[in-house]
Amino acid sequence: MAHEHGHGHGAELSDEDKKAIMEQNINITRNLNNIKYKVAVMSGKGGVGKSTVAVNLAEAFNKIGFKTALFDVDIHGPNVPKMLGIEDKKLDVKGNKLVPVETENGISVASMAFLLDSNASPVIWRGPQKTGAIKQLISDVAWGNIDVMIFDNPPGTGDEPLTVLQTIQNLDAAVMVTTPSSVSEEDVLKCVSMTRMLNIENIGLVENMAYFECPDCGKKVNLFGENKGKEFAEAMEIDFLGELPFRTAVSESADKLEKPIVEADPDSDAAKEFMKIAEEIKNKYMDE
């Protein structure tokens, strides 16, 4: 597998390094050409349920009938495998390619977690190492023909999300996840600005934990303040894709059942809302 090498301080790349980088770029282009639609899930800050949104959107697109893949880009805290019940799996090697792990429902998954010795193993890397690892996974995983790939980016505007946005040509959409919080909204605004700087036009907003629905009386309670995702999206001139309720069942389905709520409880309001959001993304950003 090709590795990127730093070439600052006047250092020249060797012919071997140049060849390796060229081969990697060719593999990245070839792999991405086999993926019809590419959607990056992003957030300005942690703790807003971004990975929950990513895995449930992947499950929703799979239910719609799309061949779906999910790339867990979080180098330091890769949680996607646990949320899908596949954390004990590893990436197989076939020839010089890595074979993605498949869920029971046929979703192809790649994650840094599959390359670690154990869940307790920390990844202590600087920027260039993280950038190189992400490019290698995009280059070296044999994704095959995919209808929709969801990229679950770590929060913020750092190396990992920047690498994904710069590496993926023709990203179809960037989906921002926020909560009813001014702090969360301020951070999302930075993410939107970065995305626009990279000339990505299709940007949508999902407001997670928008309200809590009392299981006894059905009353909706705004736990984190007034939900104003739609107004926030309009102010940023991006698409509002939908709002999701705060439900313990959503997190419990990932933690205990190790299944997204879309799979664990498809008749729940939360699952239905994820399906609606997937349909919104499909209708707005995917030319069928």
Side-chain angles (χ1 to χ4, degrees):
M1 297 196 301
H3 290 266
E4 286 204 336
H5 296 268
H7 51 279
H9 307 291
E12 289 293 331
L13 287 174
S14 69
D15 289 341
E16 185 179 341
D17 287 338
K18 290 177 183 177
K19 183 180 177 183
I21 291 172
M22 187 180 300
E23 286 178 355
Q24 185 183 71
N25 289 335
I26 290 170
N27 286 334
I28 287 172
T29 301
R30 185 182 294 125
N31 266 355
L32 293 179
N33 282 342
N34 290 330
I35 301 166
K36 194 170 183 182
Y37 301 112
K38 309 166 192 75
V39 178
V41 177
M42 307 176 65
S43 70
K45 66 188 297 295
V48 298
K50 173 190 53 57
S51 290
T52 299
V53 171
V55 297
N56 277 284
L57 283 182
E59 197 69 58
F61 278 116
N62 194 53
K63 282 184 177 293
I64 290 172
F66 287 177
K67 174 60 180 169
T68 307
L70 179 56
F71 183 8
D72 182 4
V73 187
D74 198 333
I75 300 292
H76 299 289
N79 298 315
V80 163
K82 178 172 176 57
M83 299 173 85
L84 292 171
I86 52 174
E87 63 178 332
D88 59 335
K89 306 293 185 183
K90 296 292 181 185
L91 295 173
D92 287 332
V93 179
K94 189 174 182 180
N96 63 347
K97 287 288 187 179
L98 297 171
V99 180
V101 174
E102 276 208 357
T103 67
E104 289 182 2
N105 296 332
I107 298 173
S108 299
V109 184
S111 170
M112 192 68 199
F114 298 140
L115 302 174
L116 300 177
D117 292 331
S118 74
N119 294 335
S121 301
V123 178
I124 307 172
W125 286 353
R126 295 186 183 275
Q129 291 170 297
K130 293 189 285 186
T131 299
I134 292 167
K135 285 189 174 182
Q136 272 192 262
L137 281 175
I138 297 175
S139 163
D140 296 348
V141 173
W143 293 107
N145 293 317
I146 299 292
D147 293 322
V148 182
M149 178 176 281
I150 306 293
F151 293 85
D152 180 25
N153 283 313
T157 56
D159 293 307
E160 297 98 312
L162 183 60
T163 299
V164 169
L165 296 184
Q166 287 182 324
T167 303
I168 301 169
Q169 298 299 313
N170 304 317
L171 186 75
D172 292 282
V175 175
M176 306 291 167
V177 181
T178 188
T179 58
S181 153
S182 58
V183 173
S184 176
E185 290 176 353
E186 286 175 8
D187 289 339
V188 166
L189 190 55
K190 295 171 186 172
C191 255
V192 170
S193 297
M194 178 185 77
T195 307
R196 282 191 168 132
M197 287 170 65
L198 295 170
N199 299 316
I200 296 165
E201 297 179 1
N202 293 336
I203 308 172
L205 181 75
V206 172
E207 187 174 42
N208 194 22
M209 310 179 202
Y211 58 88
F212 172 74
E213 188 169 353
C214 175
D216 297 322
C217 65
K219 182 179 179 181
K220 292 183 178 181
V221 181
N222 299 116
L223 293 177
F224 301 103
E226 182 185 357
N227 51 312
K228 48 192 176 183
K230 189 172 183 181
E231 292 84 351
F232 184 47
E234 288 173 353
M236 291 189 294
E237 298 182 335
I238 63 176
D239 298 315
F240 182 65
L241 300 174
E243 61 182 26
L244 295 161
F246 178 91
R247 281 196 65 197
T248 55
V250 176
S251 57
E252 284 174 355
S253 67
D255 290 342
K256 296 178 183 177
L257 300 177
E258 296 188 339
K259 288 183 178 180
I261 191 74
V262 169
E263 173 67 14
D265 190 3
D267 293 326
S268 65
D269 290 342
K272 290 175 181 176
E273 193 62 34
F274 276 118
M275 294 300 296
K276 284 183 187 176
I277 292 170
E279 288 284 355
E280 277 287 299
I281 294 170
K282 173 177 172 286
N283 294 335
K284 287 181 181 294
Y285 310 131
M286 300 177 182
D287 299 322
E288 284 291 89

